[in-house]
Amino acid sequence: MAARILIVEDNRVVARDIGQQLVRIGYEVSGVFARGADAVKFSQEVGTDLVLMDIRLEGEIDGIDAAGQIRNTCRVPVVFLTAYADDETVKRARETEPYGYLIKPFEDQQLRTAIEMALYKHASEQKLRESERRYATTLASIGDGVIAIDAAANITFMNPVAETLTGWSFEKAMNRPVAEVFRIVNEATRDKVEDPAATALKLGKRVELAPQTVLIAQDGRETPIDDCGAPIAADYGMITGAVLVFRDMTQRYHAESELRKAQEELSRMSRVTTLGELTVTIAHEINQPLMAIVTNAAACLRWLSDQQMNLMEARAAAERVIRDGHRAGDVVATIRSHAKKSAPDIKPLNLNNQVEHVLTLIRGEFRRQSISEELVLPDEPAIVLGDAVQLQQVVLNLVSNAIEAIERAYNNPKRLKICLQQNTPGTVLCSISDSGIGLDVQSADRIYDAFYTTKAGGIGMGLSICRSILSAHGGSLWATPNDDYGATFYFTLPSIMDPVANV
């Protein structure tokens, strides 16, 4: 599409000739006027692609004044046409930023060249302005403050965030030294800090701001900030300015402070929880030897107070009290070693003997509950590496749970079977099967969680402790429901093929 050219010339003959030239070289004449005011009105209301403007015109305003108004209101490129080229005229014309200057008379080629150069320059400037608007809009919409400075460290741009944080409007900060507007100090020492933009300008490289930096606004407000400065280099490498990007760190510092407080509170609650778990563990584990102590002490008193005093039975009961007292002490010592993260007392053990020892402790409860027990042991001793007290805790907990499950199943036959066998080479398997209330499949995965319990008044630590002990010994613990009544709990331990202990 041919460019539309407006002719402003007060000599009709000259205006007609120029119009003919334009058509001849491929342009369209959008209008012809002799007065500058008419040309300004036409450019504003109708529009045109370019104006060929004579400097000397009829009316109140000449071509130079008309060109200035068109530039300010329409941004249409103007090429001056004149027979005058004196210094004063050229100086006035230059202030309107024309796109060309043709001395009359001129040839078609001269006119074409002037028009093409003017249109090309105008299109390039328009693209540049659009790009600048896009960047200005982008910088205005981001959440960081942005300040640009020239090679003399004077401010050439500020976005709204920078205006808010510094307390300076861009209009007032324009061309001021950046150090006057962007005042920063060290929060602790209150020493003045050089802004990164000025430093980047001097060093020619990107510069980060030191920590604990505070921006002091024009009204005295202080804002903790984090920022960086980077130089702006021309195509030929010369540093022409720098840009400063900074952000308000108030919310981040507040969030970090709240996070630290939350972490401290979590740590405190963790210590409290750990202390509570330790207390529950002690109560749970020491309860059984204490009950045995009470039971044997009561038996001892009965044998001593009976008319037919039986000193041998009383002595045996007293010895069991001493043994259970030592066992309670061993349990406390074991828990203390856990709390101090001490290594367990690992040594070769005959697991057959450990199971029989536990059954001896609890056999009185079998009689009281009328529970029939069955113990199946392998022909060869099942030798494992372990801590005797801890493994006895495991067996005792599992057997005690089985007794309680049987006690709650009122109509079921009361049976308990313990079986110990070599499972696979290098592994011992122990199963404890009861005829109790059985295993709830839905809660089967949760029964090993600390504080989870299905028993009224239970504290839910027994199975959690058992699994922890077995895991520390390289073993495992699981359970399955029986086909008829109750459930069976299994645990495995690594075995030693060469029996070296008979404990």
Side-chain angles (χ1 to χ4, degrees):
M1 183 177 177
R4 300 164 54 249
I5 311 297
L6 175 65
I7 302 171
V8 187
E9 171 62 61
D10 57 1
N11 187 314
R12 293 182 180 180
V13 175
V14 175
R16 183 193 62 196
D17 292 342
I18 294 174
Q20 292 174 350
Q21 279 184 286
L22 289 173
V23 173
R24 189 165 56 244
I25 60 180
Y27 297 109
E28 178 185 338
V29 177
S30 61
V32 180
F33 295 99
R35 299 167 61 87
D38 295 335
V40 172
K41 184 178 180 181
F42 181 86
S43 299
Q44 293 172 343
E45 296 179 355
V46 179
T48 187
D49 295 324
L50 184 139
V51 178
L52 293 175
M53 179 80 71
D54 188 13
I55 290 180
R56 299 293 177 87
L57 295 173
E58 298 175 357
E60 297 179 356
I61 62 173
D62 62 6
I64 294 176
D65 292 332
Q69 292 183 33
I70 291 173
R71 180 200 64 183
N72 294 333
T73 59
C74 308
R75 288 197 175 275
V76 174
V78 176
V79 175
F80 283 124
L81 307 175
T82 184
Y84 306 94
D86 58 277
D87 292 343
E88 184 62 30
T89 300
V90 172
K91 181 179 179 181
R92 283 189 61 218
R94 188 171 64 239
E95 293 175 353
T96 65
E97 299 178 359
Y99 285 76
Y101 199 98
L102 281 172
I103 304 297
K104 294 185 285 188
F106 41 80
E107 301 294 332
D108 289 0
Q109 188 60 37
Q110 291 175 299
L111 181 59
R112 181 197 294 274
T113 301
I115 292 173
E116 290 298 319
M117 293 297 292
L119 291 174
Y120 178 80
K121 181 181 178 183
H122 176 69
S124 298
E125 290 181 352
Q126 193 170 19
K127 289 181 180 179
L128 179 61
R129 285 193 296 271
E130 290 174 357
S131 177
E132 289 175 345
R133 283 194 294 270
R134 284 196 300 270
Y135 285 121
T137 302
T138 301
L139 293 176
S141 62
I142 65 175
D144 292 346
V146 179
I147 297 177
I149 61 175
D150 58 21
N154 295 324
I155 293 176
T156 58
F157 174 82
M158 288 179 67
N159 72 343
V161 176
E163 291 179 311
T164 301
L165 293 178
T166 62
W168 286 78
S169 67
F170 176 44
E171 182 181 359
K172 291 183 179 180
M174 181 71 173
N175 295 324
R176 288 180 179 268
V178 65
E180 182 181 343
V181 176
F182 190 72
R183 295 185 299 144
I184 50 179
V185 298
N186 181 277
E187 186 177 19
T189 65
R190 311 304 295 180
D191 292 336
K192 184 178 178 180
V193 179
E194 186 175 15
D195 72 276
T199 305
L201 195 63
K202 289 189 296 186
L203 300 179
K205 64 180 182 180
R206 188 175 185 272
V207 179
E208 299 280 351
L209 189 65
Q212 294 185 312
T213 299
V214 173
L215 171 65
I216 303 177
Q218 190 178 25
D219 58 5
R221 289 180 294 110
E222 294 190 1
T223 305
I225 61 169
D226 179 26
D227 70 355
C228 65
I232 301 173
D235 292 339
Y236 44 85
M238 181 178 291
I239 303 300
T240 60
V243 63
L244 174 68
V245 181
F246 57 100
R247 65 185 59 88
D248 183 354
M249 301 296 289
T250 303
Q251 290 186 350
R252 178 176 172 181
Y253 289 165
H254 177 72
E256 289 177 351
S257 176
E258 291 299 315
L259 178 60
R260 285 194 296 271
K261 291 180 181 178
Q263 289 173 337
E264 291 172 359
E265 181 65 16
L266 182 62
S267 177
R268 188 185 70 82
M269 291 303 297
S270 177
R271 292 194 297 271
V272 171
T273 302
T274 301
L275 180 60
E277 291 178 355
L278 181 61
T279 303
V280 171
T281 300
I282 294 173
H284 182 275
E285 293 304 306
I286 208 170
N287 185 55
Q288 290 161 341
L290 288 180
M291 290 180 61
I293 289 173
V294 171
T295 301
N296 286 309
C300 180
L301 288 176
R302 283 198 306 273
W303 289 115
L304 292 176
S305 61
D306 192 75
Q307 291 182 351
Q308 296 179 352
M309 185 181 300
N310 191 328
L311 293 180
M312 291 185 61
E313 291 289 349
R315 179 181 180 85
E319 289 176 348
R320 289 195 296 272
V321 169
I322 295 173
R323 182 187 60 202
D324 291 330
H326 288 311
R327 172 170 170 74
D330 291 340
V331 170
V332 172
T334 300
I335 295 174
R336 287 184 61 189
S337 69
H338 280 317
K340 295 187 296 183
K341 296 185 178 180
S342 301
D345 183 16
I346 300 297
K347 58 185 178 181
L349 300 171
N350 184 342
L351 195 59
N352 298 22
N353 292 350
Q354 306 304 319
V355 172
E356 289 181 321
H357 181 68
V358 169
L359 292 180
T360 300
L361 294 175
I362 207 165
R363 190 158 278 126
E365 190 66 21
F366 290 153
R367 290 194 294 269
R368 189 179 71 82
Q369 297 280 352
S370 300
I371 297 173
S372 64
E373 71 172 276
E374 181 181 358
L375 175 62
V376 180
L377 297 176
D379 295 334
E380 297 293 331
I383 307 301
V384 298
L385 277 176
D387 184 296
V389 174
Q390 290 186 11
L391 294 182
Q392 287 177 24
Q393 282 180 262
V394 171
V395 176
L396 186 58
N397 273 326
L398 295 177
V399 172
S400 297
N401 285 348
I403 292 173
E404 291 178 2
I406 293 170
E407 187 178 10
R408 293 164 65 189
Y410 307 108
N411 298 322
N412 294 354
K414 298 184 176 184
R415 300 193 305 265
L416 187 143
K417 179 179 180 180
I418 301 175
C419 181
L420 193 62
Q421 63 187 41
Q422 290 286 344
N423 184 33
T424 58
T427 305
V428 173
L429 173 67
C430 180
S431 62
I432 300 173
S433 180
D434 64 68
S435 59
I437 58 173
L439 187 65
D440 183 2
V441 178
Q442 293 182 345
S443 62
D445 292 335
R446 298 188 59 196
I447 59 176
Y448 307 102
D449 296 341
F451 301 109
Y452 178 81
T453 181
T454 58
K455 297 180 290 187
I459 57 177
M461 287 299 295
L463 291 177
S464 174
I465 294 170
C466 289
R467 172 167 278 189
S468 297
I469 291 174
L470 290 170
S471 177
H473 281 74
S476 58
L477 172 67
W478 71 97
T480 60
N482 295 335
D483 294 335
D484 47 6
Y485 307 107
T488 300
F489 280 79
Y490 302 89
F491 71 84
T492 61
L493 286 169
S495 66
I496 300 176
M497 305 307 294
D498 179 23
V500 294
N502 187 25
V503 187

